[in-house]
């Protein structure tokens, strides 16, 4: 090992990892993704994903079925509630962006589907047709983002939870009566979730920062103003160049990213050129951190009463009144 390349230590696997960025990310050689994975290769890739957070596989001329098989060997595949799913295989998302079909608002830092109680453990994206210029995907390591916070901020957020909602998908329903009814229905199917802000990665044991500007709307127990400012500090960790890897797509490149430890941003700079990608999403588990496991916000509030300091009782805003100061016991 020279610090850049690493042969897997798993016996029976020829897989080799080569780092693509300072803090995270590796390209993988010694594997044909279209073939069933040996147990040794599977073990090597699982260990590689936990360590490198993103795995890049080049020159993999695979079918959508190959992609589903490859993804499905790591976890059950999930169906996205809002994306354009393939008619025959709802677990397969085909993004075919071209004139008349601009990409959805994925040009914001996020981790996929954190509005779920069990957000996906990982996502796989395979490039089929790429624009001549642009269309890169940016990734940012949230283990590096967490580590570089000051100890005072780490201590502050250790037991905090972030509230996640449907984010930009709420806009899909429009302002009609029918749209509002549908949004209400989705709101019931995907209630607000309280995820630990500091998440412990279940495989690597690393602490990662688990908030993102697409879906995290509030920090529980803080006033709105306090929450906005602290979230702004935490969201900024994703935009620090040293913790990023910018992936330039070539056809038949597959990227397998760990949704538990990275955020990503699809650069929206190619429309109306065509960009066609296949995606599968791998089911995850309930996040766990020092603040405990993720729960629905409703359950969190039932267990944590913040009403005494007025934060919940008064909707996140409550100037201290003179009357209160003079009558502290009322
Ligand atoms: Fe995404």
């Amino acid at each position: 090992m020279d610090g850049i390349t690493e042969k897997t230590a798993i016996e029976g696997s020829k897989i080799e990892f080569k780092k693509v960025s300072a803090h995270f990310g590796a390209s993988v050689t010694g594997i044909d993704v279209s073939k069933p994975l040996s147990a040794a290769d599977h073990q090597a890739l699982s260990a590689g994903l936990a360590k490198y957070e993103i795995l890049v596989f080049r020159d993999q001329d695979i079918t959508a079925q190959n992609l589903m098989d490859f993804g499905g060997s790591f976890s059950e595949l999930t169906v996205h509630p809002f994306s354009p799913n393939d008619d025959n295989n709802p677990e397969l998302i085909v993004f075919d962006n071209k004139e008349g079909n601009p990409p959805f608002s994925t040009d914001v830092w996020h981790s996929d589907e954190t509005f779920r109680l069990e957000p996906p453990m990982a996502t796989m994206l395979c490039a089929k047709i790429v624009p001549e210029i642009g269309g890169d995907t940016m990734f940012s390591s949230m283990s590096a983002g967490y580590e570089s916070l000051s100890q005072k901020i780490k201590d502050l957020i250790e037991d905090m939870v972030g509230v996640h909602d449907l984010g930009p998908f709420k806009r899909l329903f429009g302002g009609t009566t029918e749209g509002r009814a549908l949004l209400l229905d989705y709101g019931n199917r995907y209630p607000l979730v309280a995820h630990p802000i500091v998440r412990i990665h279940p495989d690597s044991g690393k602490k990662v920062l688990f908030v993102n500007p697409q879906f995290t709307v509030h920090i529980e127990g803080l006033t709105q103003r306090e929450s906005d400012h602290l979230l702004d500090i935490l969201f900024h960790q994703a935009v620090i160049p040293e913790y990023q890897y910018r992936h330039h797509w070539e056809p038949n490149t597959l990227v397998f990213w760990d949704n538990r430890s990275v955020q990503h941003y699809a650069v929206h700079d190619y429309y109306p050129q065509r960009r066609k990608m296949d995606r599968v999403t791998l089911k995850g588990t309930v996040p766990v951190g020092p603040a405990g496991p993720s729960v629905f916000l409703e359950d969190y509030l039932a267990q944590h009463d913040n009403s005494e300091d007025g934060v919940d009782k008064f909707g996140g805003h409550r100037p201290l009144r003179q009357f209160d100061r003079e009558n502290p016991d009322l």
Side-chain angles (χ1 to χ4, degrees):
M1 182 172 169
D2 55 14
I4 303 287
T5 55
E6 178 196 11
K7 279 187 182 13
T8 178
I10 308 292
E11 205 177 319
S13 173
K14 292 191 165 54
I15 283 177
E16 210 169 291
F17 300 100
K18 183 176 183 188
K19 287 178 78 170
V20 293
S21 180
H23 288 279
F24 72 138
S27 64
V28 183
T29 52
I31 186 163
D32 178 352
V33 167
S34 70
K35 303 268 178 5
L37 277 184
S38 68
D41 284 345
H42 192 278
Q43 203 183 337
L45 291 179
S46 296
L49 185 71
K51 177 173 180 177
Y52 293 107
E53 305 181 352
I54 301 176
L55 300 178
V56 178
F57 304 79
R58 299 185 190 281
D59 303 317
Q60 302 285 339
D61 188 5
I62 59 170
T63 64
Q65 187 61 52
N66 293 150
L67 179 65
M68 288 190 289
D69 291 344
F70 183 52
S73 72
F74 291 92
S75 181
E76 183 188 329
L77 302 183
T78 59
V79 178
H80 196 291
F82 306 109
S83 269
N85 304 310
D86 183 75
D87 289 342
N88 298 320
N89 302 294
E91 304 87 0
L92 176 69
I93 299 175
V94 180
F95 295 114
D96 192 0
N97 298 115
K98 54 192 171 186
E99 181 93 55
N101 185 32
F104 188 62
S105 57
T106 48
D107 50 345
V108 55
W109 285 102
H110 66 285
S111 177
D112 284 328
E113 303 173 42
T114 61
F115 55 83
R116 291 181 186 270
L117 187 61
E118 294 181 328
M121 62 161 275
T123 304
M124 290 181 179
L125 201 56
C126 187
K128 296 293 160 190
I129 299 170
V130 299
E132 200 158 338
I133 294 171
D136 295 355
T137 303
M138 309 276 299
F139 295 92
S140 192
S141 169
M142 288 298 96
S143 58
Y146 172 80
E147 271 174 41
S148 64
L149 289 167
S150 66
Q151 191 58 46
K152 296 277 188 196
I153 293 288
K154 285 179 182 167
D155 293 344
L156 179 68
I157 63 175
E158 180 85 350
D159 64 353
M160 286 181 162
V161 299
V163 179
H164 295 234
D165 78 359
L166 292 172
F169 297 115
K170 288 180 290 192
R171 295 204 303 271
L172 289 174
F173 299 96
T176 63
T177 306
E178 193 188 17
R180 284 196 295 275
L182 203 54
L183 180 57
L184 196 64
D185 181 43
Y186 272 103
N188 287 328
R189 281 155 65 182
Y190 299 97
L192 293 173
V193 173
H195 289 307
I197 288 180
V198 179
R199 181 175 186 178
I200 310 279
H201 192 288
D203 297 332
S204 69
K206 285 183 205 165
K207 284 185 172 175
V208 297
L209 192 54
F210 199 63
V211 288
N212 69 81
Q214 190 171 51
F215 300 118
T216 314
V217 292
H218 189 69
I219 296 176
E220 214 20 71
L222 300 188
T223 66
Q224 192 62 47
R225 188 175 174 80
E226 291 166 341
S227 169
D228 289 347
H229 283 270
L230 184 51
L231 280 177
D232 186 57
I233 290 169
L234 301 180
F235 291 162
H236 183 77
Q237 294 303 98
V239 306
I240 296 171
E242 281 79 358
Y243 312 148
Q244 295 178 345
Y245 164 63
R246 183 172 184 134
H247 182 75
H248 179 66
W249 294 97
E250 300 285 348
N252 300 324
T253 300
L254 186 159
V255 176
F256 180 11
W257 70 81
D258 192 325
N259 206 45
R260 300 164 295 192
S261 47
V262 302
Q263 288 190 51
H264 58 285
Y265 179 117
V267 183
H268 189 161
D269 59 354
Y270 57 94
Y271 183 78
Q273 293 178 85
R274 190 171 183 197
R275 181 179 184 265
K276 187 171 183 233
M277 321 285 280
D278 286 345
R279 165 178 151 168
V280 291
T281 315
L282 282 60
K283 188 175 183 350
T285 52
V286 173
V288 176
S294 301
V295 291
F296 289 121
L297 179 63
E298 193 183 351
D299 299 330
Y300 182 86
L301 292 177
Q303 295 160 13
H304 300 79
D305 182 7
N306 292 317
S307 61
E308 257 186 29
D309 58 13
V311 170
D312 289 339
K313 194 172 168 188
F314 297 95
H317 173 77
R318 198 192 183 210
L320 189 62
R321 293 163 190 165
Q322 192 179 2
F323 178 79
D324 299 327
R325 302 184 74 177
E326 289 166 356
N327 302 277
D329 296 330
L330 289 181

